[in-house]
C-alpha cells in the first residue's frame, strides 16, 4: 500500500502522556557513523538490559494497539528510556501494531505523547522531537535518512514485509510527503538474523522475487533489501549493513527463532 498522504489523521485522535516514572535506560547500538555524519538525528536499536531474561519492557512486536497499553504502569515510558539529551525527552514517540505489511505512515502533525493507534510497519517524518520506533527480533530495521530535506524513515522488514514492498512504500512516502529523491537517501540495515541462520522454504524466495530453490535454503534478507533499495534508486555506496546477527551473535539481542519472547526497539528521530 502507498503512504497515507501528508496528514496521518490516525495520530491526531488520541494521546497518552508519560507519567512521573523513573527513567530506565537500556543499552543502545547506534547506527554506525550516523552520529557524526548526521548530528541532526538519533538512530539506533535498544538491546535487552538482561539478555538472559525474557522480560520485555519495550512491548511485544504485535502488542496491544490501545493507548492504554502504553500507559501500563509496569512499562516505563519510551521517552524515559531513550532520552533525547539529559533532561530533554522526546516530545512524542510513535509506535504501531506491526503486521508485516507495507503501510507507511507520514507523520506531519503529531501531538505530544506516545502514540499507538492502528497498524503500520513504516514511518516517516521530519518533525523535530518525534521519535519513530519499530520492534524487532530477527526482522530487519531499515533506517533511512534524507540529509537534503532532513527527513527520516524507519521500516520493519521481515520477509513478508519485504515481499509486500515495505521498503519501496516507505521511500515512496518520503518522496510524496517531503520531496525526497532516492539518490539523496542514506540507508542502514540494522541488527537482524543473518544469511547463514535464516533458512526458509522455496515459497519465501518466490514471494520475495528471488530465484526459487527446490528445497529450503538460507536467505540473506538484508542482502535482498539492499538490492531492492538500490533498484529503487538508492546509491549502493549509501547503504550500510550491520554485521550483527540477532541469532548467532553474542546473545546481545532477542531472537524470535531462538524462541525469545522479547523484542528490541529500533528508533530514529530528528533532534533539530
Ligand atoms: Zn546468524
Amino acid at each position: 500500500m502507498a503512504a497515507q498522504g501528508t496528514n496521518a489523521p490516525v495520530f491526531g485522535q488520541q494521546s497518552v502522556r508519560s507519567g512521573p516514572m523513573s527513567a530506565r535506560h537500556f543499552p543502545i547500538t547506534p547506527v554506525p557513523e550516523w552520529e557524526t555524519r548526521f548530528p541532526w538525528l538519533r538512530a539506533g536499536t535498544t538491546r535487552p538490559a538482561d539478555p538472559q531474561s525474557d522480560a520485555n519492557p519495550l512491548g511485544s512486536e504485535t502488542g496491544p494497539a490501545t493507548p492504554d497499553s502504553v500507559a501500563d504502569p509496569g512499562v516505563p515510558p519510551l521517552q524515559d528510556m531513550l532520552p533525547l539529551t539529559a533532561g530533554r525527552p522526546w516530545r512524542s514517540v510513535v509506535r504501531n501494531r506491526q503486521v508485516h505489511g507495507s503501510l507507511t505512515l507520514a507523520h506531519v502533525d503529531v501531538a505530544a505523547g506516545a502514540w499507538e493507534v492502528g497498524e503500520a510497519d513504516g514511518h516517516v517524518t521530519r518533525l523535530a522531537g518525534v521519535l519513530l520506533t519499530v520492534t524487532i527480533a530477527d526482522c530487519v530495521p531499515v533506517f533511512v535518512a534524507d540529509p537534503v530535506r532532513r527527513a527520516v524513515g524507519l521500516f520493519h522488514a521481515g520477509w513478508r514485509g519485504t515481499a509486500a514492498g515495505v521498503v519501496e512504500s516507505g521511500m515512496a512516502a518520503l518522496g510524496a510527503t517531503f520531496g525526497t529523491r532516492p539518490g539523496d537517501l542514506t540507508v542502514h540495515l540494522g541488527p537482524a538474523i543473518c544469511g547463514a541462520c535464516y533458512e526458509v522454504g522455496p515459497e519465501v524466495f518466490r514471494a520475495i522475487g528471488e530465484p526459487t530453490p527446490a528445497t529450503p535454503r538460507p536467505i540473506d534478507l538484508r542482502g535482498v533489501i539492499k538490492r531492492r533499495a538500490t533498484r529503487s534508486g538508492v546509491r549502493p555506496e549509501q547503504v550500510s549493513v550491520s554485521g550483527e546477527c540477532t541469532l548467532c551473535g553474542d546473545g546481545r539481542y532477542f531472537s524470535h527463532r531462538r524462541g525469545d519472547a522479547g523484542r528490541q526497539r529500533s528508533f530514529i528521530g530528528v533532534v533539530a
Side-chain angles (χ1 to χ4, degrees), residues 9 19 101 118 120 134 206:
V134 295
R206 192 177 305 117

Side-chain angles (χ1 to χ4, degrees), residues 192-198 222 244-249:
I193 194 166
C194 80
C197 286
Y198 194 37
R222 286 179 288 197
E244 294 195 280
C245 175
T246 45
L247 182 53
C248 74

Side-chain angles (χ1 to χ4, degrees), residues 19-111:
M21 305 185 70
S22 60
R24 290 180 57 188
H25 300 300
F26 286 69
I28 288 171
T29 300
V31 173
E33 300 179 11
W34 281 24
E35 284 185 16
T36 50
R37 289 182 67 190
F38 307 130
W40 51 276
L41 65 77
R42 297 286 183 275
T45 299
T46 62
R47 300 193 303 273
D50 175 6
Q52 305 307 315
S53 167
D54 258 359
N56 182 19
L58 303 186
S60 68
E61 182 171 6
T62 57
T66 63
D68 287 344
S69 67
V70 182
D72 182 331
V75 180
L78 283 166
Q79 291 96 322
D80 288 348
M81 290 190 286
L82 304 170
L84 179 58
T85 58
R88 184 178 169 215
W90 295 89
R91 183 169 63 86
S92 302
V93 176
V94 169
R95 53 188 288 184
N96 272 80
R97 189 146 52 89
Q98 298 172 184
V99 292
H100 298 276
S102 66
L103 181 65
T104 296
L105 301 177
H107 302 282
V108 297
D109 181 17
V110 181

Side-chain angles (χ1 to χ4, degrees), residues 45-218:
T45 299
T46 62
R47 300 193 303 273
D50 175 6
Q52 305 307 315
S53 167
D54 258 359
N56 182 19
L58 303 186
S60 68
E61 182 171 6
T62 57
T66 63
D68 287 344
S69 67
V70 182
D72 182 331
V75 180
L78 283 166
Q79 291 96 322
D80 288 348
M81 290 190 286
L82 304 170
L84 179 58
T85 58
R88 184 178 169 215
W90 295 89
R91 183 169 63 86
S92 302
V93 176
V94 169
R95 53 188 288 184
N96 272 80
R97 189 146 52 89
Q98 298 172 184
V99 292
H100 298 276
S102 66
L103 181 65
T104 296
L105 301 177
H107 302 282
V108 297
D109 181 17
V110 181
W115 300 84
E116 184 178 18
V117 181
E119 301 172 343
D121 289 274
H123 303 280
V124 299
T125 195
R126 63 176 174 187
L127 291 175
V130 174
L131 192 68
L132 311 179
T133 73
V134 295
T135 48
I136 296 288
D138 292 342
C139 291
V140 181
V142 181
F143 301 86
V144 301
D146 173 359
V148 176
R149 291 156 197 83
R150 293 207 167 183
V152 296
L154 182 58
F155 318 131
H156 162 249
W159 76 260
R160 288 184 180 85
T162 301
V166 68
V167 176
E168 292 84 349
S169 163
M171 290 172 56
L174 282 166
T177 312
F178 307 121
T180 292
R181 296 181 300 234
D184 291 334
L185 284 177
T186 299
V187 176
H188 178 71
L189 309 178
I193 194 166
C194 80
C197 286
Y198 194 37
E199 184 174 283
V200 297
E203 72 282 1
V204 172
F205 286 85
R206 192 177 305 117
I208 293 176
E210 293 287 301
T212 305
T215 57
R217 296 281 169 79

